[in-house]
Amino acid sequence: MDLDALSGVIAYNHTGESVTTVTAAVDRITINHPLKEICDLELSGQVTFATGRSSMEISIQVAKAPERGASVQKEDVLMTCAFTMVSLDPNTKKPVAICPVKVETDEEKRLFAAGEKNYNIKKARAKTGLRKQTPDDEESDLIHAMWLRQLDYHDPNNPLRKPPHTHYMSSTTLSSSQIMQPQYRNRHNFMIFGGYLLKTSFELAFCCAAAFSHSRPTFLSLDPSTFENPVPVGSVLYLKATVAYTESAVDGASDAHQSAGAEHGEKRTEGSGTRVQIRIDSKVRDIEHGSTKPTGQFNYTFLVDRDISVMPQTYEEFMIWVDARRRAERVRGSIDGGRVEGVGDGKKGKDDGRRVTE
């Protein structure tokens, strides 16, 4: 919520007050060093990518506040993140062009190139989602394996039964609804502040992970998230949390792979902990007109100190599982690559403990 507010301040410093700026997306969050002490924090950021269209990327850093006159040390950087902000005409609410950002130093050029790469990746990924393409051969094989395993669980002639650490996806959902109050509105209109939506979705995701695992989850990452429709003051916001995917914190194997391995006598990795991905689906309802619109989908990943897994049953749940698996693979790919754009030392092949989204 604080990061989104700072992004707005930075955006207005770039565009001036003649436009309305809204949060379009949270592109990535990286936790470099988890906070382990009580200390003052310094939040700073800048526009790192803007080409003269209506949108801009803002990179933000959260670090342990340095001593007066000193600069922030690399080991004191707690978190880095990026927001995409869009400028609108205050009267027509249509996107308006803004000034491009001028890069001069090598560091600014590197950050601009990273923002451009991220922009192109998002455009390409929109064409390969499950609404555009069917599951590939490997994903189809995993779906079929899980479906066969469910049949075995319910076959009275088969001694195999669902393990106690496996839970059906339908049993993991957690929902909330709340009326949108004016104290959480944006400065220029009566739409709810995007940072508040992130705060409420995160809290529900945390509760869902805790209820699922019966333990205290540790936040790892927030996947790139897009705000689809604004949320007006006075409307009702509905949030639904679902455990979408689980995998071993050690080898990254999903329960589908664990189940396939069990058929060949392999055992599930015990005592490793589990990465749990929580999907938040949000929608807003206009009380007077009764219309309902989606407002966005948010995907959080937590680490829990238990060996636990989720299993889909319906086709819709299988698609949720496949989408979440793809997200988890992209996160692992970023970690294995040794760095996120704008962060890291470039070393490869080892998970150094950083918590990272795309």
Side-chain angles (χ1 to χ4, degrees):
M1 192 170 180
D2 292 333
L3 298 173
D4 192 19
L6 179 58
S7 296
V9 173
I10 295 171
Y12 279 113
N13 283 341
H14 182 74
T15 64
E17 299 287 338
S18 61
V19 299
T20 297
T21 300
V22 297
T23 305
V26 185
D27 289 334
R28 58 188 180 272
I29 288 180
T30 306
I31 296 183
N32 299 45
H33 303 96
L35 187 63
K36 297 181 179 179
E37 60 179 305
I38 297 176
C39 62
D40 292 335
L41 297 177
E42 178 188 83
L43 279 66
S44 60
Q46 60 184 330
V47 177
T48 51
F49 180 70
T51 61
R53 299 181 179 181
S54 61
S55 65
M56 71 193 93
E57 181 180 275
I58 296 175
S59 298
I60 295 181
Q61 172 181 283
V62 181
K64 181 179 178 180
E67 298 293 334
R68 184 180 298 274
S71 57
V72 173
Q73 301 299 310
K74 184 177 180 180
E75 60 271 16
D76 291 333
V77 176
L78 166 65
M79 175 190 301
T80 58
C81 62
F83 284 78
T84 298
M85 313 296 285
V86 173
S87 295
L88 307 176
D89 184 287
N91 298 317
T92 65
K93 308 303 180 185
K94 299 289 184 65
V96 294
I98 60 174
C99 295
V101 67
K102 183 178 180 180
V103 294
E104 297 176 323
T105 68
D106 291 340
E107 177 66 10
E108 290 174 348
K109 293 176 181 178
R110 184 183 68 81
L111 292 173
F112 186 90
E116 185 175 29
K117 178 181 178 181
N118 186 48
Y119 173 78
N120 292 329
I121 287 175
K122 287 192 293 182
K123 288 183 62 178
R125 193 164 292 153
K127 301 177 181 179
T128 60
L130 286 171
R131 289 181 176 270
K132 304 286 186 180
Q133 293 186 0
T134 59
D136 59 28
D137 291 342
E138 180 186 12
E139 292 165 344
S140 297
D141 289 343
L142 291 173
I143 290 172
H144 189 69
M146 285 190 288
W147 177 71
L148 290 177
R149 180 52 59 101
Q150 290 181 52
L151 294 181
D152 292 339
Y153 289 160
H154 295 92
D155 185 355
N157 298 316
N158 191 324
L160 185 65
R161 291 294 178 265
K162 182 170 69 69
H165 70 261
T166 299
H167 301 267
Y168 289 124
M169 188 180 292
S170 58
S171 68
T172 67
T173 60
L174 198 62
S175 300
S176 72
S177 60
Q178 54 184 306
I179 191 163
M180 296 291 95
Q181 303 288 354
Q183 61 264 36
Y184 300 118
R185 71 179 180 89
N186 280 319
R187 58 183 290 188
H188 283 296
N189 52 47
F190 282 89
M191 299 299 173
I192 295 300
F193 171 48
Y196 178 74
L197 301 179
L198 288 173
K199 173 181 177 291
T200 54
S201 65
F202 171 80
E203 290 174 348
L204 183 63
F206 182 92
C207 292
C208 182
F212 172 66
S213 63
H214 296 285
S215 63
R216 179 173 290 277
T218 300
F219 171 70
L220 296 182
S221 66
L222 166 64
D223 268 26
S225 305
T226 301
F227 295 94
E228 298 179 25
N229 288 293
V231 179
V233 169
S235 62
V236 178
L237 179 69
Y238 297 94
L239 299 178
K240 179 182 178 182
T242 305
V243 178
Y245 184 77
T246 54
E247 64 181 7
S248 169
V250 172
D251 53 18
S254 69
D255 195 58
H257 285 106
Q258 299 276 7
S259 297
E263 295 177 353
H264 297 87
E266 300 176 13
K267 292 185 178 180
R268 176 182 172 88
T269 305
E270 299 293 342
S272 58
T274 304
R275 284 192 288 263
V276 178
Q277 189 176 141
I278 307 294
R279 167 173 166 157
I280 302 289
D281 291 295
S282 63
K283 59 183 180 180
V284 60
R285 183 180 181 87
D286 186 306
I287 295 179
E288 295 178 353
H289 299 92
S291 60
T292 302
K293 295 181 180 180
T295 60
Q297 178 185 314
F298 308 95
N299 297 272
Y300 296 91
T301 301
F302 297 89
L303 176 67
V304 299
D305 191 23
R306 288 192 60 191
D307 298 310
I308 195 167
S309 63
V310 69
M311 177 174 282
Q313 290 178 290
T314 66
Y315 187 81
E316 179 183 6
E317 291 176 352
F318 278 119
M319 293 304 99
I320 292 175
W321 184 88
V322 168
D323 177 69
R325 179 177 180 269
R326 291 179 179 181
R327 294 175 183 275
E329 287 184 335
R330 290 197 292 265
V331 170
R332 286 200 304 275
S334 296
I335 294 175
D336 292 339
R339 68 187 295 274
V340 180
E341 293 297 341
V343 181
D345 54 10
K347 296 179 181 179
K348 296 184 178 182
K350 183 178 180 181
D351 182 350
D352 59 4
R354 285 177 298 168
R355 302 163 184 177
V356 54
T357 68
E358 200 57 28

